[in-house]
Amino acid sequence: DGGITQSPKYLFRKEGQNVTLSCEQNLNHDAMYWYRQDPGQGLRLIYYSQIVNDFQKGDIAEGYSVSREKKESFPLTVTSAQKNPTAFYLCASSSRPYQPQHFGDGTRLSIL
Amino acid sequence: GQQLNQSPQSMFIQEGEDVSMNCTSSSIFNTWLWYKQDPGEGPVLLIALYKAGELTSNGRLTAQFGITRKDSFLNISASIPSDVGIYFCAGFLSNNAGNMLTFGGGTRLMVKP
C-alpha cells in the first residue's frame, strides 16, 4: 500500500542527546514536510523540501535539522539545542507544491 | 504566525445532531483543506476546495469555499460517535511564495451517544 511511514512511534531523548525521526514515503511525491504539534495546539511547520537535495526552514526550525538525499526519505534530527523537544512530530508529503498534504501517523518524542 | 481563526475551539454534541465549524481569515486563500485527526494519529484529508463558491460533499460531510476567499465552513450531518476527533482547516495563501500550508487551531468534537 502507498503511504507515509514514520518511525519510531514513540521516542525518548536524554538531555544533551540528538535523536533522528524517520519519514519514508512511497507515493512518489516531490515535496515533504515536518510539523510539530503540542497538546491542544495546531500544527507548526519545522522544515520542508520541494525537491531532492533542497530544503527550507519553516516557522520553528531552530534546534532541528533535516536532509533530503533521496526522494522518498526526509529524516528529522532533533538536536540538543532544542530545549523543549517534547511534542508530537508529523511528517507529510504532497505530489507537488500547492497540492494537498498527506500525513504519516506521527512520532511522539519525550524527554527522560 | 497563525492567520486562520477556527471556531468553535470545541463542541460537545449529542449523537445524531448536525455540526458546523468554520475558518476565517483577513487574507485571501487559493485553496482550502479540511482534515480530521484521531488521537495519536496523523491528520487525514477529508475535503479539498479549489474555487471560490465551491461546495463539496464527502458522505455526511459538506464543505464550502467562501465567495470572498477568506473563509470556509465544514458541516457534518447526523453525527455518530466515530466523528469524535479534532478537525483542522488549512489553506494556501494567495500571496504564498513559499508553498507553506497555514493551519487553523482545530475544533475538538466530542459526541455523546
Side-chain angles (χ1 to χ4, degrees):
Chain A
D1 287 346
I4 301 169
T5 302
Q6 289 189 242
S7 62
K9 183 71 173 175
Y10 300 95
L11 187 59
F12 297 91
R13 196 192 89 169
K14 295 180 181 178
E15 294 285 342
Q17 185 182 45
N18 293 353
V19 292
T20 297
L21 284 60
S22 170
C23 179
E24 303 278 331
Q25 54 98 0
N26 59 5
L27 300 168
N28 199 33
H29 283 176
D30 287 333
M32 297 186 74
Y33 314 82
W34 274 105
Y35 292 90
R36 170 180 171 140
Q37 186 177 31
D38 292 286
Q41 304 287 317
L43 280 67
R44 292 185 291 168
L45 183 65
I46 304 172
Y47 269 99
Y48 67 99
S49 168
Q50 297 189 25
I51 55 172
V52 175
N53 292 321
D54 182 70
F55 49 82
Q56 307 294 329
K57 292 181 180 180
D59 297 324
I60 55 165
E62 186 174 351
Y64 300 97
S65 66
V66 294
S67 62
R68 186 86 187 277
E69 297 177 0
K70 297 186 296 183
K71 186 175 185 178
E72 59 269 25
S73 179
F74 191 39
L76 173 74
T77 297
V78 184
T79 74
S80 57
Q82 172 50 246
K83 298 306 179 188
N84 183 24
T86 298
F88 191 48
Y89 290 87
L90 288 159
C91 178
S93 70
S94 63
S95 55
R96 300 185 305 280
Y98 292 102
Q99 292 300 304
Q101 295 174 16
H102 299 272
F103 288 83
D105 279 338
T107 292
R108 186 167 300 282
L109 176 63
S110 303
I111 295 296
L112 284 177
Chain B
Q2 197 172 90
Q3 302 182 51
L4 277 180
N5 298 308
Q6 187 171 348
S7 65
Q9 286 187 316
S10 63
M11 303 178 72
F12 191 35
I13 62 169
Q14 191 76 37
E15 181 178 358
E17 289 183 356
D18 296 343
V19 172
S20 184
M21 59 191 78
N22 68 82
C23 274
T24 60
S25 175
S26 58
S27 303
I28 292 174
F29 283 76
N30 283 336
T31 300
W32 285 98
L33 307 172
W34 283 93
Y35 289 89
K36 183 194 177 197
Q37 184 177 29
D38 290 327
E41 298 183 12
V44 173
L45 182 67
L46 299 173
I47 292 177
L49 302 160
Y50 299 100
K51 294 193 304 185
E54 181 180 353
L55 184 72
T56 297
S57 294
N58 178 7
R60 293 179 295 107
L61 279 61
T62 301
Q64 185 161 30
F65 194 142
I67 289 290
T68 64
R69 297 169 63 193
K70 295 182 179 181
D71 63 343
S72 177
F73 72 75
L74 174 71
N75 288 341
I76 305 173
S77 63
S79 59
I80 59 178
S82 62
D83 290 334
V84 166
I86 304 175
Y87 293 80
F88 289 101
C89 62
F92 289 111
L93 288 161
S94 63
N95 62 352
N96 185 356
N99 177 36
M100 287 189 283
L101 198 57
T102 301
F103 281 86
T107 295
R108 182 179 297 273
L109 179 63
M110 293 160 281
V111 179
K112 186 164 54 176

